[in-house]
Amino acid sequence: MRQAIKELPASRIREVANAGIGRDDVLAFWFGESDEVTPEAVRDAAMQSLARGETFYSHNLGLIELRDTLSAYTSALHRPVAVDRIAVTSSGVSALMLATQMLAGQGDEVVAVVPVWPNLTAQPAIMGANVKRVALVPREGAWTLDLETLLDAVTPATRMLLVNAPNNPTGWTLTRHEQQAVLDHCRRTGTWIVADEVYERLWYGDGATAPSFLDIAEPDDRLIVVHSFSKSFLMTGWRLGWMVLPNGHLDAIGKLIEFNTSCAPVFVQRAGLAGLRTAGSTVPALAERMQACRDALVNGLQRLADVQVALPRGGMYAFFRVPGLSDDSLNFAKHLVAEHGLGLAPGVAFGDEAQGWLRWCFASRDPARLTEGLARLERALRL
Ligand SMILES: Cc1ncc(COP(=O)(O)O)c(C=O)c1O
């Protein structure tokens, strides 16, 4: 086995979740998904597709109807994006891997803004690239970017810059000014930006989406934007995503898709299409429900003595810490499961920078679950 694979750390979120397996008294908020089922219209579209017998391979890049609709959807939210810049992928994580395979090989330098969902940094490590981590800085519970530190880290030797904003787990989001500075800098160094914007619609600031690189980039910029149907369309289990590429890169990505998954299943693509067709009403309504969950959870956390937490502007997570209580977030998370029936993700799962922090996914249909979770945390902190 290759050394790079041996050295990959196992998921620390799974490690905590495994501690709760077989216990139905645990309230689990450790994974990044809502407990809401996919909307009926989307499930129906998949069933109708199967009933029609759409059980065959499709084009590597996805159904043209879906790509056309994605082009219209993206263009309405951002600057116009032509269909020949869009590829459908079998999930957001697959899109990220395809981008990484295209750009980063053995010994290449990749810069990543961290803490971050661990898959983003594991993928270049799998390819044998060297990942340089640039840490966000926590200030009174909120994580902020030191722009100069990031720009200094990205040099002409940097093949690829990985930025996930709104960020999982911290909720940090690039400002337009920071985005422009990063884009200008990467144009000078020749560095590719891989922007993971899967949480762009779970956005609680001004406008319909978080600031996106697609608002400011030109079609020839070295920019790949990765998207997913998982979060804003409540489709985690379906495994469907897409990517926006610069002009002239579709053939290359088509080849890579062929050698990875060949294509996304047609009935899943039909479901995605149905999700996009109803997005005008469903996505803003979902963001509104999420915002209510966020407010309830973060207000509840802020009422607990000593908890440091900030209101995230995007995403589906509250990221918090209790200074002095435990610097070992993995063991503390396991303790919360074992003794208090509360399932959270340990901050260290997202990098050593977040040691001592905990991530709580607030995407829940039932506010009573969050209230009960808060009561369990309060009991744990009192002991
Ligand atoms: C930051 C980020 N990017 C990408 C994904 C991938 O989503 P999926 O592979 O379900 O499309 C996730 C899922 O948790 C995520 O948190």
Side-chain angles (χ1 to χ4, degrees), residues 335-353:
H335 163 82
L336 286 176
V337 175
E339 303 298 327
H340 301 280
L342 178 61
L344 304 181
V348 71
F350 307 93
D352 289 342
E353 308 79 14

Side-chain angles (χ1 to χ4, degrees), residues 273-290:
L273 198 49
L276 286 169
R277 286 189 176 135
T278 46
S281 57
T282 55
V283 177
L286 176 67
E288 221 170 274
R289 293 199 293 286
M290 293 271 193

Side-chain angles (χ1 to χ4, degrees), residues 95-213:
L96 285 165
M97 191 65 189
L98 292 162
T100 306
Q101 288 171 350
M102 191 167 98
L103 301 176
Q106 187 68 37
D108 284 336
E109 181 183 284
V110 172
V111 170
V113 179
V114 296
V116 77
W117 189 52
N119 300 38
L120 259 85
T121 46
Q123 291 173 336
I126 290 171
M127 299 304 296
N130 301 319
V131 181
K132 204 155 102 183
R133 301 173 72 89
V134 174
L136 299 169
V137 185
R139 292 202 177 89
E140 286 157 24
W143 291 71
T144 53
L145 175 70
D146 184 336
L147 183 60
E148 288 313 310
T149 307
L150 176 61
L151 299 187
D152 286 349
V154 175
T155 72
T158 311
R159 296 269 315 151
M160 172 170 137
L161 167 65
L162 277 166
V163 189
N164 164 226
N167 170 269
N168 172 8
T170 64
W172 164 78
T173 306
L174 281 164
T175 62
R176 174 68 77 228
H177 163 74
E178 288 166 340
Q179 221 160 33
Q180 190 66 58
V182 168
L183 179 63
D184 291 345
H185 184 80
C186 289
R187 281 174 176 160
R188 284 191 293 271
T189 58
T191 301
W192 280 81
I193 299 171
V194 175
D196 176 337
E197 299 186 352
V198 305
Y199 294 103
E200 74 163 358
R201 304 293 309 271
L202 301 183
W203 172 244
Y204 317 115
D206 292 337
T209 77
S212 164
F213 277 100

Side-chain angles (χ1 to χ4, degrees), residues 65-382:
E65 303 94 294
L66 179 55
R67 291 177 53 225
D68 275 338
T69 308
L70 283 168
S71 160
Y73 172 84
T74 311
S75 301
L77 292 174
H78 307 295
R79 283 187 176 177
V81 171
V83 66
D84 58 5
R85 294 178 56 202
I86 292 183
V88 174
T89 60
S90 299
S91 75
V93 68
S94 178
L96 285 165
M97 191 65 189
L98 292 162
T100 306
Q101 288 171 350
M102 191 167 98
L103 301 176
Q106 187 68 37
D108 284 336
E109 181 183 284
V110 172
V111 170
V113 179
V114 296
V116 77
W117 189 52
N119 300 38
L120 259 85
T121 46
Q123 291 173 336
I126 290 171
M127 299 304 296
N130 301 319
V131 181
K132 204 155 102 183
R133 301 173 72 89
V134 174
L136 299 169
V137 185
R139 292 202 177 89
E140 286 157 24
W143 291 71
T144 53
L145 175 70
D146 184 336
L147 183 60
E148 288 313 310
T149 307
L150 176 61
L151 299 187
D152 286 349
V154 175
T155 72
T158 311
R159 296 269 315 151
M160 172 170 137
L161 167 65
L162 277 166
V163 189
N164 164 226
N167 170 269
N168 172 8
T170 64
W172 164 78
T173 306
L174 281 164
T175 62
R176 174 68 77 228
H177 163 74
E178 288 166 340
Q179 221 160 33
Q180 190 66 58
V182 168
L183 179 63
D184 291 345
H185 184 80
C186 289
R187 281 174 176 160
R188 284 191 293 271
T189 58
T191 301
W192 280 81
I193 299 171
V194 175
D196 176 337
E197 299 186 352
V198 305
Y199 294 103
E200 74 163 358
R201 304 293 309 271
L202 301 183
W203 172 244
Y204 317 115
D206 292 337
T209 77
S212 164
F213 277 100
L214 292 175
D215 298 327
I216 55 171
E218 299 297 331
D220 289 322
D221 275 315
R222 293 187 180 94
L223 168 71
I224 295 179
V225 177
V226 166
H227 274 291
S228 169
F229 282 85
S230 288
K231 314 293 174 174
S232 334
F233 298 89
L234 297 168
M235 291 179 69
T236 47
W238 298 75
R239 319 309 301 129
L240 191 64
W242 75 95
M243 60 205 296
V244 180
L245 296 138
N247 284 335
H249 287 76
L250 222 52
D251 288 348
I253 217 70
K255 281 190 286 184
L256 280 176
I257 291 173
E258 171 61 27
F259 302 135
N260 277 270
T261 54
S262 299
C263 60
V266 175
F267 68 95
V268 172
Q269 296 190 60
R270 295 274 182 224
L273 198 49
L276 286 169
R277 286 189 176 135
T278 46
S281 57
T282 55
V283 177
L286 176 67
E288 221 170 274
R289 293 199 293 286
M290 293 271 193
Q291 183 163 0
C293 292
R294 173 197 75 155
D295 292 348
L297 179 63
V298 174
N299 290 340
L301 286 170
Q302 281 171 340
R303 273 198 297 274
L304 300 180
D306 297 334
V307 170
Q308 279 184 358
V309 64
L311 206 58
R313 291 201 303 150
M316 48 164 71
Y317 311 100
F319 204 51
F320 68 100
R321 96 186 252 259
V322 190
L325 183 77
S326 172
D327 286 338
D328 181 348
S329 55
L330 181 60
N331 277 324
F332 187 54
K334 285 183 182 169
H335 163 82
L336 286 176
V337 175
E339 303 298 327
H340 301 280
L342 178 61
L344 304 181
V348 71
F350 307 93
D352 289 342
E353 308 79 14
Q355 180 59 279
W357 292 71
L358 292 163
R359 188 194 75 174
W360 187 322
C361 176
F362 53 69
S364 189
R365 226 160 69 95
D366 177 8
R369 285 185 79 239
L370 295 173
T371 313
E372 174 54 26
L374 278 165
R376 292 184 188 189
L377 180 66
E378 189 169 11
R379 271 198 297 280
L381 297 182
R382 256 198 262 116

